[in-house]
Amino acid sequence: MTSERIFFNFPVTADSHTLKAYQGRGGYQALENALKTLQPIDVEKEVMASGLRGRGGAGFPTGSKWSFVNKKAPVVYLCCNADEGEPGTFKDRWIFEHNSHQLIEGMILAAYALNVRNAFIYIRGEFDLSFRRLMDAMSEAYKAGYLGENILGSSFSCDIRVMQGGGAYVCGEESSLYTSIEGFKGYPRNKPPFPAVQGLYKAPTVVNNVETLANVPWIMTNGAKAFSAMGTEKHPGTKIFGVSGHVKKPGLYELPLGYPLKKLIFEECGGILNGKELKAVIPGGSSTPILLPQDVETANLDAECLSTYRTMLGSGGVIVIAEGVCMVRLLHTLSRFYAHESCGQCTPCREGSAWMNDIISRIVAGKGVKGDLESLERITKGIMGNTVCALGDAASMPVINFITKFRAEFDYYIEHGRSMNDGRLEI
Amino acid sequence: MSCIEEKFAQLRATYPKELNSSLVMPFLRIMLDEKKSLGESDAVFIANYLGLPAMQVKEALTWYTMFYRHPVGTHVIKVCRNIACSLMGAERIIDHLSQKLGIKPGETTADGRFTLLLVECLASCGTAPVMQIDDTYHEQLTEAKIDQILKGLS
Ligand SMILES: Cc1cc2nc3c(=O)[nH]c(=O)nc-3n(C[C@H](O)[C@H](O)[C@H](O)COP(=O)(O)O)c2cc1C
Ligand code: SF4
Ligand code: FES
């Protein structure tokens, strides 16, 4: 394992986000080189060989995703997923604020590989500084000839358009995202057909996360081998982890995949706030199953290892929970969120997420009854696997995990009508 | 309307014909920035301008939470109530703001200066608790910090 960094490899200063600074760090050389000396398929092959996997949540191999696209189709679209809505996730914002050019260069390289003329960045509607920095970088890139007609004198032309979201979490789901780009309410679509076959405007479409695409220039500059030398064999590279909750030093940490979770929490982040004991960790954004302290002892941050703990790397949003927190009320913050964000299109998710939230709200209000936890379990079973998109599963997983792993706390709350932990969330 | 139409035309000129329908979200946003809240007639105006079914734009307008359909205050305060912020005291922050402004979440002060909204994760979890006033993020909030921020607003 080397300690190379793909993102946090320069000091952030007042102008380190500008084109000039990015060029000074070798920026856009990968693009120049690709347009001069490489065929589109060479870019795809390099990304495939690097083993890069999606950083948005599902961890799908990026090269494979690209290889499914018929590049001879009359139109192919590329959409960058910058909706960053999964609670606990705040990494893409850093890329926009400090190095938008790295994403733009990655997108142009991807567009070249995929034969894309028109690409989109779908950015969260609330983002302000991120959006302004991105727009500044876009105009710099256009002026410098990295975007538009005949890029750097080559025969390749590509435009990127930036679109601001409307405050819907579900629009981070890939089919919801391109439905929104088409100017509709963001109802996810049934798959298949998968976006690679039929996505935006019914054309083959690749949707990739910001961090995924921003890895591409580094891979093209340093080679697939250097990339796959970092991280684990099946999950190579680095990942930006966002740590929040009860640690002494919350924030973003770029680490090789496979990094021990315990080390991240107790060394990098300085341990638990106020010297408290650790109670639980959500490893990859709010919908990933929660880990107990004994799991944290041995779990590593890569897809394969976390799957043996029946959880996921997700978006890399690590949420740390200290002893003393009321897990019933904490689950309520999540059930409320998912009930609110369900798009309403399919019955199991729309009704189920609302029922679950009603039951949990009632328990929190001290009016829980015997059988509530069984009802919750039954509802999650009715949702999982029976919905158009993965939001239904995302809403169910925390419920089933919290009530299984902290059963005694839920039973106590229902029996006594109050929290075992005084209802505390803050410590 | 003329200023809005100018902005519409400017943006439309940069979109090829086949991406016409992709102008719905940006146009709603331009309209919102200009008018602060939107109604059905705005959706119809955009639909006509783009030659799209009015129903499509109306549905979009009513489905996305950021397109306000009721008048909001001069300043809109959005406080995150999701998991990471809750762990760092979001409830305390919400109570303080509520008390300070004399309104409940979802309401606007009588003088029309502030609207207080509760929102889900703002992607700033590492610096929780967090709120956004108009476009600006305010992070690592404390009661004292909030008092100071509010004092600084015109
Ligand atoms: C409800 C829901 C919300 C999602 N939100 C995001 C998001 O905000 N950002 C993101 O990159 N992926 C999000 N995803 C995952 C995307 O559907 C998709 O897997 C990802 O953008 C693919 O990019 P990648 O392969 O580069 O990771 C979400 C998925 C679901 C089901
Ligand atoms: S699972 Fe939920 S969010 Fe996804 S399409 Fe169905 S109702 Fe909408
Ligand atoms: S939970 Fe509040 S910003 Fe993410």
Side-chain angles (χ1 to χ4, degrees):
Chain A
M1 264 191 208
T2 59
S3 58
E4 224 66 73
R5 298 244 162 97
I6 294 173
F7 295 93
F8 299 173
N9 55 13
F10 61 93
V12 170
T13 62
D15 54 11
S16 55
H17 60 279
T18 60
L19 176 60
K20 214 171 138 211
Y22 184 59
Q23 285 168 328
R25 298 193 291 269
Y28 287 108
Q29 269 165 26
L31 176 67
E32 266 184 57
N33 184 53
L35 292 180
K36 275 203 197 105
T37 65
L38 300 178
Q39 294 300 311
I41 187 71
D42 300 330
V43 177
E44 181 183 309
K45 276 189 181 150
E46 200 67 28
V47 171
M48 180 86 90
S50 76
L52 173 65
R53 294 167 63 167
R55 304 301 197 228
F60 195 83
T62 308
S64 306
K65 192 186 265 194
W66 293 5
S67 73
F68 297 152
V69 168
N70 172 14
K71 284 92 180 171
K72 296 216 173 71
V75 186
V76 180
Y77 289 113
L78 171 68
C79 301
C80 168
N81 190 342
D83 203 42
E84 191 149 74
E86 176 79 0
T89 316
F90 50 101
K91 66 194 176 65
D92 298 340
R93 251 184 85 203
W94 188 93
I95 297 176
F96 283 121
E97 289 179 15
H98 301 294
N99 215 1
S100 286
H101 282 293
Q102 190 176 345
L103 168 67
I104 294 172
E105 185 180 10
M107 281 188 76
I108 308 168
L109 284 162
Y112 181 62
L114 294 160
N115 193 24
V116 166
R117 178 67 184 81
N118 287 297
F120 286 91
I121 298 175
Y122 189 90
I123 188 170
R124 240 193 112 151
E126 287 90 346
F127 282 178
D128 176 41
L129 180 61
S130 294
F131 176 71
R132 284 184 281 126
R133 285 267 166 95
L134 171 64
M135 295 316 276
D136 289 347
M138 289 278 297
S139 34
E140 284 180 322
Y142 266 102
K143 247 188 235 141
Y146 295 128
L147 278 169
E149 297 283 334
N150 300 105
I151 296 172
L152 300 174
S154 72
S155 60
F156 178 63
S157 304
C158 177
D159 284 298
I160 298 178
R161 290 182 178 77
V162 179
M163 187 163 298
Q164 291 172 285
Y169 162 66
V170 74
C171 284
E173 193 280 335
E174 54 192 2
S175 63
S176 171
L177 182 132
Y178 62 71
T179 304
S180 183
I181 295 179
E182 286 175 5
F184 293 91
K185 62 181 172 187
Y187 272 9
R189 294 185 196 171
N190 263 314
K191 284 168 240 171
F194 288 98
V197 177
Q198 202 182 93
L200 181 62
Y201 292 112
K202 295 204 164 31
T205 301
V206 166
V207 181
N208 272 139
N209 171 259
V210 175
E211 187 185 351
T212 310
L213 289 164
N215 268 295
V216 175
W218 195 96
I219 292 169
M220 296 312 295
T221 303
N222 299 277
K225 266 214 185 84
F227 187 83
S228 55
M230 298 185 284
T232 69
E233 195 189 328
K234 291 192 169 150
H235 209 165
T238 68
K239 175 90 192 72
I240 308 179
F241 293 100
V243 188
S244 62
H246 299 147
V247 287
K248 291 202 174 106
K249 292 185 283 176
L252 296 170
Y253 296 86
E254 181 182 1
L255 297 164
L257 283 150
Y259 198 83
L261 177 56
K262 186 180 180 186
K263 237 172 121 178
L264 171 61
I265 296 171
F266 289 95
E267 288 178 26
E268 307 285 339
C269 297
I272 308 302
L273 212 52
N274 304 338
K276 297 260 170 145
E277 293 292 316
L278 176 68
K279 180 164 189 175
V281 177
I282 300 176
S286 68
S287 48
T288 58
I290 195 162
L291 294 170
L292 295 172
Q294 65 263 32
D295 306 325
V296 174
E297 287 296 316
T298 45
N300 294 336
L301 292 159
D302 62 89
E304 277 61 40
C305 182
L306 288 176
S307 76
T308 66
Y309 294 84
R310 293 169 180 274
T311 188
M312 291 172 295
L313 185 78
S315 59
V318 179
I319 306 165
V320 180
I321 300 151
E323 203 49 77
V325 168
C326 172
M327 299 309 278
V328 183
R329 295 198 62 229
L330 195 64
L331 178 61
H332 186 223
T333 66
L334 293 181
S335 66
R336 186 176 62 193
F337 165 69
Y338 288 107
H340 182 257
E341 298 297 337
S342 167
C343 83
Q345 180 179 202
C346 32
T347 313
C349 169
R350 180 188 62 240
E351 301 298 323
S353 62
W355 286 337
M356 291 194 295
N357 186 44
D358 286 349
I359 295 174
I360 296 164
S361 303
R362 193 158 44 69
I363 298 174
V364 163
K367 301 200 175 94
V369 292
K370 246 202 161 85
D372 273 349
L373 300 182
E374 290 69 25
S375 298
L376 285 171
E377 274 165 6
R378 209 176 44 247
I379 297 168
T380 61
K381 284 197 189 115
I383 299 173
M384 291 208 271
N386 297 320
T387 57
V388 171
C389 87
L391 191 144
D393 287 12
S396 308
M397 279 189 297
V399 173
I400 200 71
N401 274 283
F402 273 60
I403 61 178
T404 310
K405 292 186 177 161
F406 299 94
R407 183 81 189 197
E409 256 185 75
F410 281 82
D411 284 337
Y412 183 98
Y413 211 132
I414 292 172
E415 193 181 328
H416 296 85
R418 64 183 168 82
S419 166
M420 225 163 109
N421 291 293
D422 298 329
R424 257 197 307 272
L425 295 177
E426 208 181 353
I427 54 155
Chain B
M1 215 46 120
S2 66
C3 173
I4 290 178
E5 274 189 69
E6 214 169 281
K7 283 187 182 157
F8 280 10
Q10 240 173 33
L11 190 64
R12 194 183 204 178
T14 68
Y15 273 60
K17 259 208 316 287
E18 69 269 22
L19 299 179
N20 184 50
S21 183
S22 292
L23 286 162
V24 170
M25 294 291 285
F27 277 17
L28 283 165
R29 179 82 181 215
I30 291 173
M31 204 94 161
L32 181 75
D33 285 347
E34 211 69 33
K35 303 180 65 171
K36 297 276 278 187
S37 75
L38 301 175
E40 196 173 303
S41 61
D42 299 311
V44 173
F45 179 84
I46 290 174
N48 288 340
Y49 190 98
L50 293 172
L52 294 170
M55 187 51 85
Q56 178 189 337
V57 186
K58 273 194 230 173
E59 271 187 355
L61 166 64
T62 53
W63 191 80
Y64 294 96
T65 52
M66 281 182 76
F67 302 136
Y68 306 130
R69 282 171 295 137
H70 298 287
V72 288
T74 318
H75 299 293
V76 178
I77 305 178
K78 297 177 177 175
V79 194
C80 173
R81 61 167 182 182
N82 210 295
I83 184 163
C85 288
S86 293
L87 291 170
M88 299 303 285
E91 293 184 325
R92 187 167 42 80
I93 297 302
I94 294 164
D95 285 347
H96 183 74
L97 273 161
S98 237
Q99 229 164 38
K100 190 99 190 152
L101 300 170
I103 51 173
K104 287 205 280 285
E107 296 178 347
T108 301
T109 53
D111 61 5
R113 283 186 69 216
F114 296 104
T115 297
L116 180 62
L117 299 177
L118 303 185
V119 298
E120 302 299 350
C121 180
L122 285 166
S124 195
C125 326
T127 45
V130 181
M131 68 175 172
Q132 184 176 26
I133 302 188
D134 305 326
D135 290 331
T136 311
Y137 276 58
H138 299 277
E139 306 168 40
Q140 292 174 313
L141 293 175
T142 59
E143 283 86 345
K145 204 163 164 182
I146 290 174
D147 294 351
Q148 218 171 16
I149 294 164
L150 290 183
K151 230 187 254 160
L153 287 176
S154 53

